[in-house]
Amino acid sequence: MSIFLGLDSSTQSLSAVAIDLESREIVLDKSINFDKSLREFGCKNGVLPHRDPAVAHSDPLMWLKALDMLCEELQSMRGFDVSDVVAVAGSGQQHGSVYLNSKATDALKSLNPKRSLEHQLKPALSRKSSPIWMDSSTRRQCDDIESAIGSGAKVAGLTGSSCFERFTGPQIRKFAEKERTRYDKSSKIHLVSSFMASVLAGKHAPVDHGDGAGMNLMDITRKQWSAAMLKATAPGLKAKLPRMAPSDSVVGRISSYFVDKYRFSPKTKIIAWSGDNPCSLIGVGLISSGRICISLGTSDTYFGFMPQPLISAEGEGHVFGSPTGDYMSLICFLNGSLAREKVRRKYKLTWNAFSKRLFHSNPGNGGKVLLPYFSPEITPNVPGPMVTRYGLKESDVKGNVRGVVEAQMTSMAIHSKWMGVKTKTIYATGGASANRAILQIMADVHNADVYQFKVGQSAALGAALRAAHAHLKASGNEQPWEQIIAGFAEPDRESRVRPNKEAAKVYRDFKKIYKACENHALHGGKDPLDVQTKFKARYG
Ligand code: ADP
Ligand code: XUL
C-alpha cells in the first residue's frame, strides 16, 4: 500500500483527503464542519463573535478537538486502514497564529492517549484565541512597521507583500503592544500550519517557505527570517519563532499519541505543513506558469505559479513560496463565499434558487452594480463594512444575486492585471466551484474556459500529494512533480464552461462602470451615473 494523507485545517472545517499513489485513486474524502460539529466553541463560520467587525479570532482548542474527532472517524471507517498511512502533510488557513508558553514543549512530547488534545494542550496556550486571516484590526501596526523599514514598497521588496493587516507580523506587533506580559510569556508563536504539524509530530515543527511568506517576516528571496522585519515588528521575536524549512521537510515520525489512540503506524512520517493556498497550487496541478486558479472558499483567491518573485506595483497582491521550491502569486478577496451567503440568506434562497436567478438574468445586470463589502475587504482595501448599490434596489432579488457574483468576478479581473497573466484557462476550486452558474459568469467576465475538479478539496489533496513527494524524496526515490500529480490534480475535461461571446463583449464595457463605481465609493471619484446610463442604453 502507498497511502498518503493530506489534512486541511481551514476557516470553517478540518478536512482529510487520502490518496493511493500506486492505484492513483482518492481513497478518502472527509470533512468536519466547525459550526455544525463543534458548536460548543461558539464560532460562526469558524470565527469567534466580536463587537468590533475588524477583529477576527478563532479558538485553537476547536482545531484540536476537530483533529481528535477526525482521527476517530478515520479509525472507524470501513475500507480505510489508518495503519496504512505512510506520511501525513497538511494545509492551514494562512496568516493565523497560535501562542504557546514554556509548558508547550513538554506537553507536545508527552501527550497521553487517554486524554484529549484539547485538555492537554489548553494549559500550554499563552493566548486563548488565535487571530486569523479575516482580522483587519492592525492598520496602525502595519503603518509603524512600514515606516520603520522605509515604505510599503520596501517591505514588499523584502517579504513579497507590503504590510497587510491579517499578516502574522502586524498581528504579533499588536499583541506585543496590547498584552506585553502575555507576549513575553509566549515562548513559541506558530502559524496554524506549523502548530497542527507540531501536534502530530509531538514536537515543534518548522514554518515552511510557502506559509512563512504570509507573515511579513520572511525574506522572500533568501527564504529566511528577515532580521530587519523581526526588529521592526516586536522585541525578542526571533527566539519565539520556529525554524524555517522547505515545504518538503520531514518533521519526524508521528507522535505516539496517534499511534496508541488511533492505530497509526509508528513509522508514519509527518511532513511540514504549508498554507492552504500553496497546497491548493499543487492540488490543482499548477507546477508551471500559464494558467491560473480561482478558489471560491470562505475567501476567494486568484493565484498562479511563478518562477521568480514578481511584486505588484500597486501593492495589491502577494508573493508566497510554492511547495515546489518556486513561487506563487496570489490575490485574496475576503468577501468571497461569506458575501454570496449573505445575499443568499437575505433573500431566503437555496443554492439552487440562487443559481436559477443567475441563469435567468442578463450579463451586465442592466448596468446595476453592487459593491459587496459586507465585511472589511482586503482587495481593494476597504477598512470597514460598506455595501453600496448603484442603480440597484435592495428589493431587487435577481439584481442583487447577479450583482454579488458579477462584482466578485469583475474585481478579480481588474485587480489581477499586475500579474500580467493572459490566460485562456481558469481552474476553479473551493466549495462554491460546484456552482456552474457562478462559473459561467467567471468564464464570461474573464473570457476564458473554466474547468472544475472532481475533488473540490484542492488544499487537502495538495497536502496529500506533498506528503507523497516528500516521503519519496526522503527515501531517496524522488519523483518529478509531473509524475506525482498525474491523474490526481487534473481538471475534469468534461466540466469545461465556455465563455459566451456576446456576454464577454458586455463585460468588457461592464468593467468600466464597475471601476467607476469602485472609484466613486472608495476614492471620491466622479459619480458613475453617466457611464451607467450609457451602458444601460446600449445593453439594458
Ligand atoms: P474553506 O476551505 O475556506 O473553509 P470551502 O472551500 O469548503 O471553504 O467552501 C465553503 C463555502 O462553499 C461555503 O461557505 C458555501 O458558501 C460555499 N458553497 C457550498 N456549496 C455551494 C453552492 N452550491 N453554490 C455556491 N456556494 C457554495
Ligand atoms: C490568503 C488568505 C486566505 C486564507 C484562507 O492570503 O488570507 O485565502 O488563506 O484560508
Side-chain angles (χ1 to χ4, degrees):
M1 284 295 245
S2 49
I3 305 294
F4 296 91
L5 178 63
L7 301 179
D8 175 29
S9 181
S10 78
T11 320
Q12 304 199 53
S13 56
L14 177 69
S15 308
V17 165
I19 56 169
D20 182 335
L21 200 66
E22 264 161 39
S23 68
R24 308 208 80 78
E25 276 171 322
I26 295 190
V27 293
L28 174 110
D29 185 351
K30 271 252 147 244
S31 209
I32 292 190
N33 181 281
F34 301 144
D35 286 14
K36 275 192 204 135
S37 305
L38 294 159
R39 300 169 86 102
E40 66 272 30
F41 290 90
C43 286
K44 190 159 179 262
N45 299 314
V47 186
L48 290 164
H50 199 281
R51 59 188 180 283
D52 180 353
V55 172
H57 285 214
S58 189
D59 191 336
L61 298 177
M62 177 175 76
W63 305 332
L64 291 177
K65 187 156 185 192
L67 183 58
D68 263 335
M69 285 173 77
L70 185 68
C71 289
E72 203 166 311
E73 273 204 34
L74 299 192
Q75 191 199 17
S76 60
M77 267 178 71
R78 266 206 264 144
F80 184 78
D81 190 343
V82 174
S83 68
D84 287 335
V85 174
V86 178
V88 185
S91 136
Q93 52 170 312
Q94 294 200 252
H95 320 296
S97 40
V98 182
Y99 299 74
L100 301 175
N101 60 31
S102 59
K103 294 185 195 142
T105 309
D106 278 348
L108 287 170
K109 213 188 320 177
S110 54
L111 289 169
N112 177 352
K114 296 211 171 79
R115 300 180 60 215
S116 69
L117 290 173
E118 181 198 352
H119 288 107
Q120 294 182 82
L121 290 170
K122 189 175 177 182
L125 292 178
S126 53
R127 188 182 194 182
K128 265 189 167 167
S129 61
S130 290
I132 62 157
W133 66 275
M134 295 169 90
D135 190 286
S136 60
S137 68
T138 63
R139 188 62 252 161
R140 195 185 47 71
Q141 287 76 15
C142 288
D143 293 343
D144 291 348
I145 297 171
E146 288 184 349
S147 57
I149 298 293
S151 66
K154 281 205 175 129
V155 174
L158 204 51
T159 70
S161 307
S162 56
C163 278
F164 277 82
E165 289 90 334
R166 70 194 192 284
F167 276 41
T168 328
Q171 292 290 341
I172 293 175
R173 185 179 174 85
K174 179 179 166 194
F175 183 54
E177 277 178 10
K178 308 253 179 228
E179 296 184 65
R180 185 57 195 261
T181 314
R182 279 187 213 276
Y183 172 75
D184 287 340
K185 285 198 174 141
S186 303
S187 32
K188 206 57 105 194
I189 304 178
H190 275 289
L191 287 178
V192 176
S193 56
S194 62
F195 172 65
M196 297 297 279
S198 303
V199 174
L200 285 168
K203 63 178 182 187
H204 291 293
V207 163
D208 90 304
H209 300 151
D211 215 11
M215 299 173 82
N216 278 143
L217 292 174
M218 183 185 99
D219 182 321
I220 191 77
T221 41
R222 294 168 63 211
K223 297 185 174 165
Q224 291 171 4
W225 297 122
S226 152
M229 291 306 300
L230 293 173
K231 185 162 173 249
T233 301
L237 182 52
K238 175 110 194 257
K240 297 179 189 296
L241 294 173
R243 68 189 166 87
M244 299 217 88
S247 314
D248 57 10
S249 309
V250 177
V251 181
R253 303 281 172 185
I254 198 164
S255 150
S256 58
Y257 174 90
F258 296 92
V259 175
D260 298 342
K261 194 164 187 167
Y262 302 116
R263 305 276 164 245
F264 277 90
S265 156
K267 289 195 196 141
T268 312
K269 284 184 185 131
I270 302 301
I271 310 302
W273 281 41
S274 188
D276 51 2
N277 292 295
C279 287
S280 277
L281 190 78
I282 300 298
V284 297
L286 292 187
I287 53 168
S288 59
S289 323
R291 291 151 298 162
I292 63 113
C293 176
I294 295 178
S295 167
L296 305 173
T298 304
S299 64
D300 288 346
T301 55
Y302 180 107
F303 59 84
F305 175 95
M306 251 194 329
Q308 290 301 328
L310 166 74
I311 287 148
S312 145
E314 293 81 26
E316 280 190 320
H318 317 299
V319 178
F320 296 147
S322 151
T324 55
D326 306 276
Y327 292 94
M328 67 181 289
S329 50
L330 177 135
I331 316 171
C332 184
F333 303 85
L334 188 141
N335 284 282
S337 279
L338 296 184
R340 292 185 287 274
E341 288 277 9
K342 279 254 163 84
V343 173
R344 180 178 77 84
R345 282 168 201 266
K346 182 176 169 67
Y347 301 107
K348 300 189 174 57
L349 303 171
T350 59
W351 280 122
N352 222 348
F354 183 96
S355 306
K356 268 197 194 134
R357 302 294 192 289
L358 290 179
F359 281 129
H360 297 130
S361 52
N362 291 329
N365 218 3
K368 294 176 271 192
V369 171
L370 170 65
L371 297 182
Y373 312 131
F374 290 92
S375 296
E377 181 52 70
I378 295 165
T379 316
N381 186 276
V382 184
M386 182 182 146
V387 177
T388 317
R389 293 179 175 82
Y390 288 91
L392 172 65
K393 292 207 177 85
E394 211 172 333
S395 55
D396 176 353
V397 182
K398 245 195 234 177
N400 279 275
V401 167
R402 180 163 277 277
V404 67
V405 180
E406 285 189 342
Q408 294 174 323
M409 298 307 151
T410 308
S411 181
M412 278 184 203
I414 292 174
H415 295 286
S416 61
K417 282 235 152 60
W418 66 273
M419 284 192 194
V421 186
K422 289 213 164 47
T423 187
K424 284 274 144 215
T425 309
I426 296 174
Y427 292 166
T429 179
S433 70
N435 190 318
R436 291 178 68 84
I438 294 178
L439 299 195
Q440 185 63 56
I441 298 181
M442 184 186 285
D444 294 345
V445 171
H446 292 269
N447 196 14
D449 288 336
V450 175
Y451 290 91
Q452 292 167 301
F453 286 79
K454 288 214 169 93
V455 179
Q457 303 275 11
S458 57
L461 173 62
L465 293 165
R466 290 203 309 104
H469 178 265
H471 164 75
L472 291 173
K473 189 174 171 190
S475 338
N477 300 311
E478 183 171 359
Q479 285 184 9
W481 277 105
E482 290 78 358
Q483 211 168 313
I484 299 278
I485 65 170
F488 287 116
E490 283 165 11
D492 177 358
R493 292 280 149 209
E494 283 166 23
S495 69
R496 177 170 166 186
V497 180
R498 294 163 201 261
N500 173 304
K501 284 216 170 75
E502 283 311 306
K505 241 191 258 165
V506 175
Y507 284 123
R508 267 209 304 268
D509 284 342
F510 181 78
K511 280 175 201 151
K512 293 180 200 148
I513 55 169
Y514 186 83
K515 230 181 188 168
C517 293
E518 200 187 88
N519 207 18
H520 177 257
L522 303 182
H523 311 296
K526 240 177 79 188
D527 193 311
L529 190 65
D530 260 11
V531 259
Q532 262 184 310
T533 314
K534 272 189 212 145
F535 181 92
K536 202 171 164 191
R538 191 153 177 207
Y539 302 108

